[in-house]
Amino acid sequence: MNADYNLGTVVRAVGPIIDVEFDALMPPLGRALKVDKTGILLEVIEYINDRVVRCMALTSTDTIAEGSSVIDMQAPLSMPLSPEVLGRVVNAFGQPLDGRPPFAPQEYRAIQRPAPSYDEIDSSLEIYVTGIKTIDFFSPFPKGGKIGLFGGAGVGKTVIITELIHNIISSIEGLSVFIGVGERTREGHELVEELREKDLLKNVSLIYGQMNETPGVRFRAAHAGLTVAEYLRDTMKKDILLFIDNVFRYAQAGNEISTILGRMPSDTGYQPTLGQEIGQIEERIVSTKHGAITSAQAVYVPADDFTDPAVEAILNKLDASVILSRDLARMRIYPAIDPLRSNSVLVSKKYLSEEHFETIQMARQTLERNEELKSIISVLGKDELSQEDRQSVDRAERLIKFFTQPFYSSENYTGTKGVFVKLEDTVKGVRKIVTGEVDKIPPEFFYMKGTIEEVEAAWQQKTNSPSR
């Protein structure tokens, strides 16, 4: 062992929280430490007194013991980086999870980094067409912005994230980073295999801190993935697509750490630093002169409660929100996106064509009127409505079914080939529905179709069939 090392000793170990005593120099906050012999990685997060630091373990602590020697690594927690990180699956420390040898790093970057300064940021916005009708129409995805997919368990957040990865990467052939925070290992494995099968893995870097890891790993996985995205943007001068699944698990890991440290929770039960921790990752997702980082983030909504403080903290920092509805999922409306609650900063005449903006207003009016009439229909029945209201309800039903769509990511389960729908085709189809041009076509013909031409063709085939 090198005599120049700054050495400490473990004096207390409680789960993932380790106290280390130093006789000489005290390491600063954020410094990486390593337990000698076991190789357990620690991060300094608090000072207990002038000789003891409190650390967060970033690997399992099963083999740690009081009295163990600890080495000061003389550097903050860092991520090894090189272009070879593309096509790889790694953990929050850059160690491979795909069974392949480690890649040769060209540099190391601290994973906790400040957001770009004001004069470095490019604030211009434009639409990223995703090929998913509901998102492109009601919640346009801003390039260089942040979009959140909000929903409870089992309503399709990860499926939409996977579809976005497929559609955007295959259409623009850009570089992407996927961060798995506290989610199922099975889902991660399925995503890797799907990307490999479609020959898209070579342009994607995947960073995982899975649900069985310590809260420190789950928490820092988000920072590590952001560091990879920033490196690819800055060194390769390319636009980067960043996918995070799941941001709520990041907030949850921070809450676990805060609780273990004994910090006083806020009146809602979350850590007092919740807003700051969410801001630390969201503010780094920006466009600069080197390129744009555009992010799509899945956000778990506990018990479908959108007033949950963590959900609200995330929602307030995004440019667009896609709200998934359990009621629509029960009706087999996929993707189960609620168009009336979803929104985007791009829904403005400044960014959208006049036809698109006007059609959104017309579609919203139709869907809102349908919601208002639901209670009347449940009591009196649809036949008691005025002719105008019946027409509005029928058009709303066509709209809801038209916004269903077969996904590429679901082909193996549904047997139906996925479709990518251009924005202009979506606007054209919605306009035909709300103006009554396709009132003669029954609503069931709009289900799981791509364009309005497919709907009209299916109806034409039905009306021209010999059985009629």
Side-chain angles (χ1 to χ4, degrees):
M1 184 182 294
N2 192 323
D4 294 332
Y5 280 153
N6 184 28
L7 297 178
T9 305
V10 173
V11 293
R12 182 173 177 267
V14 180
I17 300 300
I18 313 297
D19 291 351
V20 182
E21 183 176 30
F22 285 86
D23 293 327
L25 295 173
M26 290 283 280
L29 297 178
R31 177 64 60 87
L33 311 178
K34 186 168 71 173
V35 180
D36 193 23
K37 296 182 181 177
T38 64
I40 293 172
L41 199 60
L42 311 175
E43 181 188 353
V44 178
I45 52 175
E46 273 186 355
Y47 292 117
I48 301 303
N49 54 46
D50 59 358
R51 294 184 60 186
V52 178
V53 292
R54 181 153 289 169
C55 305
M56 174 172 65
L58 299 171
T59 46
S60 172
T61 57
D62 292 347
T63 57
I64 205 164
E66 289 187 17
S68 299
S69 292
V70 177
I71 303 169
D72 182 349
M73 303 297 288
Q74 303 294 322
L77 193 64
S78 301
M79 190 75 174
L81 297 165
S82 89
E84 292 178 40
V85 74
L86 289 168
R88 300 301 304 270
V89 185
V90 299
N91 64 14
F93 321 114
Q95 298 164 341
L97 299 175
D98 50 12
R100 294 164 58 192
F103 59 87
Q106 290 186 353
E107 66 172 278
Y108 285 82
R109 286 193 185 186
I111 65 170
Q112 292 190 73
R113 300 166 59 81
S117 61
Y118 179 79
D119 58 354
E120 292 180 274
I121 295 174
D122 178 6
S123 59
S124 60
L125 291 173
E126 59 181 272
I127 295 179
Y128 237 138
V129 176
T130 67
I132 300 175
K133 289 185 287 187
T134 323
I135 293 178
D136 290 341
F137 186 78
F138 287 106
S139 308
F141 196 163
K143 182 179 180 180
K146 302 175 278 286
I147 186 170
L149 306 169
F150 293 79
V155 293
K157 299 181 298 299
T158 301
V159 173
I160 295 177
I161 283 281
T162 308
E163 188 72 3
L164 286 170
I165 292 172
H166 175 277
N167 286 3
I168 298 177
I169 295 176
S170 58
S171 63
I172 68 168
E173 296 183 353
L175 304 180
S176 297
V177 175
F178 178 89
I179 309 174
V181 181
E183 287 298 299
R184 303 171 185 87
T185 304
R186 171 186 58 78
E187 289 179 345
H189 183 266
E190 288 175 354
L191 174 61
V192 172
E193 290 305 311
E194 184 168 337
L195 290 170
R196 183 177 286 123
E197 182 184 316
K198 291 180 165 45
D199 197 31
L200 298 173
L201 186 59
K202 63 181 181 295
N203 290 328
V204 185
S205 178
L206 299 101
I207 296 89
Y208 282 102
Q210 292 302 98
M211 64 195 310
N212 62 321
E213 308 256 28
T214 64
V217 173
R218 285 180 272 130
F219 190 70
R220 290 302 181 213
H223 298 273
L226 271 167
T227 304
V228 173
E230 289 167 341
Y231 167 80
L232 293 173
R233 177 195 65 194
D234 298 342
T235 60
M236 305 186 79
K237 313 295 185 197
K238 289 199 172 186
D239 293 342
I240 307 300
L241 288 158
L242 175 68
F243 300 94
I244 309 176
D245 189 6
N246 187 298
V247 182
F248 178 82
R249 303 298 182 199
Y250 164 79
Q252 199 174 40
N255 193 25
E256 289 177 45
I257 294 165
S258 181
T259 302
I260 295 168
L261 290 172
R263 292 173 181 161
M264 181 70 71
S266 65
D267 57 359
T268 59
Y270 280 97
Q271 64 269 41
T273 53
L274 174 64
Q276 177 192 4
E277 290 169 3
I278 299 297
Q280 283 174 345
I281 61 169
E282 298 296 355
E283 279 299 295
R284 289 171 64 180
I285 302 171
V286 293
S287 299
T288 69
K289 60 186 177 182
H290 299 303
I293 296 180
T294 306
S295 175
Q297 310 171 16
V299 184
Y300 169 67
V301 180
D304 293 338
D305 179 13
F306 284 84
T307 64
D308 183 273
V311 174
E312 288 189 332
I314 298 165
L315 184 63
N316 292 335
K317 292 176 172 61
L318 301 176
D319 300 306
S321 56
V322 173
I323 310 298
L324 282 85
S325 163
R326 193 169 300 280
D327 290 338
L328 288 174
R330 289 194 188 104
M331 293 164 57
R332 301 179 65 81
I333 300 298
Y334 304 117
I337 296 171
D338 186 336
L340 293 178
R341 296 169 67 195
S342 303
N343 213 329
S344 167
V345 294
L346 294 182
V347 180
S348 161
K349 289 183 178 179
K350 181 179 178 181
Y351 303 110
L352 304 182
S353 68
E354 188 173 342
E355 183 184 24
H356 186 180
F357 186 78
E358 286 180 359
T359 309
I360 289 176
Q361 308 311 312
M362 294 166 69
R364 284 188 181 278
Q365 288 172 7
T366 302
L367 293 169
E368 285 167 359
R369 185 57 182 158
N370 181 56
E371 289 297 313
E372 292 167 3
L373 294 169
K374 275 185 176 179
S375 57
I376 298 174
I377 294 171
S378 65
V379 176
L380 301 176
K382 188 174 168 181
D383 292 339
E384 297 301 316
L385 299 177
S386 67
Q387 183 177 351
E388 183 181 347
D389 283 343
R390 280 202 303 273
Q391 185 182 73
S392 183
V393 169
D394 288 341
R395 288 177 184 173
E397 187 178 356
R398 290 184 180 90
L399 273 178
I400 292 167
K401 284 187 162 57
F402 180 66
F403 281 115
T404 61
Q405 183 174 342
F407 277 1
Y408 292 100
S409 55
S410 304
E411 286 179 1
N412 293 337
Y413 305 101
T414 64
T416 305
K417 185 171 176 56
V419 293
F420 181 105
V421 183
K422 296 177 181 177
L423 176 57
E424 55 267 30
D425 290 337
T426 301
V427 174
K428 178 183 176 183
V430 175
R431 199 167 186 87
K432 279 193 170 187
I433 294 170
V434 295
T435 56
E437 286 187 47
V438 288
D439 279 356
K440 65 181 182 298
I441 304 179
E444 59 269 20
F445 282 85
F446 293 78
Y447 186 71
M448 285 296 168
K449 298 292 193 302
T451 63
I452 196 70
E453 284 78 13
E454 289 181 40
V455 176
E456 291 171 328
W459 171 244
Q460 192 69 33
Q461 184 178 0
K462 173 73 173 177
T463 53
N464 293 337
S465 64
S467 60
R468 290 187 60 85

